[in-house]
Amino acid sequence: MNKFRERFKQILEEKGISQNAFAKRIGMSQGVINNYCTGKREPSLDTLVLISKELGESLDFLLGVSDY
């Protein structure tokens, strides 16, 4: 899931969303989001779907299956 970590951080930065703000939007702690960004923790499938919907990005892109 290294691609997820990279792309998740990239999308948050590109959209100007702080980890704290995103955590509040999806009802998680900033620490959990930070762990996703650093690769210390990987999201569950349900959480991946939630992140994908909230960011407006496909799961394929977030997981590195597609570059679009």
Side-chain angles (χ1 to χ4, degrees):
M1 283 240 211
N2 282 339
K3 267 302 196 200
F4 170 76
R5 176 182 58 82
E6 294 169 12
R7 291 200 171 163
F8 183 48
K9 281 176 45 176
Q10 173 190 355
I11 292 165
L12 289 177
E13 289 173 8
E14 286 175 359
K15 294 186 180 224
I17 305 170
S18 71
Q19 290 180 16
N20 192 41
F22 189 73
K24 288 179 183 178
R25 281 171 51 177
I26 65 170
M28 299 187 128
S29 74
Q30 189 271 333
V32 169
I33 299 301
N34 183 59
N35 285 340
Y36 294 160
C37 288
T38 60
K40 291 181 184 175
R41 187 170 173 187
E42 295 180 350
S44 68
L45 180 57
D46 290 339
T47 302
L48 278 170
V49 171
L50 177 63
I51 290 170
S52 171
K53 287 180 179 179
E54 191 64 35
L55 292 175
E57 299 288 344
S58 73
L59 282 174
D60 283 350
F61 179 76
L62 284 172
L63 297 174
V65 174
S66 169
D67 289 332
Y68 307 102

